[in-house]
Amino acid sequence: MIIAVEGIDGAGKNTLVSAVLKEVDAATLAFPRYEDSAAAQLAQAALHGKMGDMTDSAYAMAAMFALDRHGAMDVLQEYAGNPDKVLLLDRYAASNAAYTWARTGDETALGWVEALEFERLGLPRPDLQVLVPTEPELAGQRAQKREAEDDSRTRDRYERDRLLQVATYTAYTEMAKREWASPWLVTSDANSIIEACRPSS
């Protein structure tokens, strides 16, 4: 089964995934895959102002992030629909939908991303999506602290944009209410995710 942990930058997704992995026998994969994916590397370069006006297009950026996930299709398919194996994802397609909606202000971005990722590219839908509901102000403080303590974690254009983070938080909250693409759980409690990883218990 595939469980995607979602939230804005600095929400604590990685911390939560790490806590779950201490208790559950699961594999993990984080998107974007900046070290392994050409599409992700191009998107990263754009977010740091190195690809001309590419980052100005919310849909171009969304397409690059979707192609990054498509490049991991073999791993994703191994876990899709298999209740005996768990894959924890740090971000997945919902991140694309939330940020694209937030950047454009156009709610139809939700349907566009859903069609792109799950239909056109054939990515498996997650069995569960977990929204880590960290308020934007706190998440922003965490992101700034992380940048100050680690030279390799320079904040990109999205992370530096406070208003974008607020709009993305709002988009995520609405998507969770609507159960966009699959069921959602809103929590920052690792135990709730651990229980979800053990459906037979």
Side-chain angles (χ1 to χ4, degrees), residues 7 32 46 97 125 144:
R125 291 177 184 264
Q144 286 181 316

Side-chain angles (χ1 to χ4, degrees), residues 8-11 133-143 162-170:
I8 59 175
D9 296 301
T134 305
E135 293 287 339
E137 183 176 354
L138 175 57
Q141 291 171 357
R142 288 176 177 173
R162 186 182 64 82
L163 292 180
L164 175 61
Q165 295 297 318
V166 171
T168 304
Y169 176 84
T170 301

Side-chain angles (χ1 to χ4, degrees), residues 85-183:
K85 299 176 71 174
V86 177
L87 177 63
L88 281 176
L89 301 178
D90 182 341
R91 289 199 187 282
Y92 195 43
S95 176
N96 229 2
Y99 276 88
T100 305
W101 182 7
R103 288 196 65 196
T104 63
D106 186 353
E107 187 178 341
T108 63
L110 295 182
W112 184 86
V113 170
E114 186 170 12
L116 171 66
E117 302 228 16
F118 301 125
E119 296 172 20
R120 186 164 189 172
L121 296 180
L123 295 169
R125 291 177 184 264
D127 297 279
L128 178 68
Q129 299 177 89
V130 178
L131 174 60
V132 185
T134 305
E135 293 287 339
E137 183 176 354
L138 175 57
Q141 291 171 357
R142 288 176 177 173
Q144 286 181 316
K145 181 180 179 182
R146 184 175 62 197
E147 179 182 44
E149 295 176 347
D150 185 351
D151 291 339
S152 69
R153 298 299 298 271
T154 303
R155 288 180 299 156
D156 62 34
R157 175 172 167 174
Y158 288 3
E159 292 169 323
R160 293 193 310 269
D161 190 333
R162 186 182 64 82
L163 292 180
L164 175 61
Q165 295 297 318
V166 171
T168 304
Y169 176 84
T170 301
Y172 264 130
T173 301
E174 184 60 30
M175 289 167 63
K177 289 179 183 177
R178 300 182 189 184
E179 298 207 319
W180 179 85
S182 72

Side-chain angles (χ1 to χ4, degrees), residues 32-43 64-65 67-69 71:
R33 299 175 303 133
Y34 289 133
E35 293 185 2
D36 304 314
S37 164
Q41 289 163 5
L42 289 172
M64 297 306 290
F65 287 123
L67 288 171
D68 169 37
R69 279 182 280 280

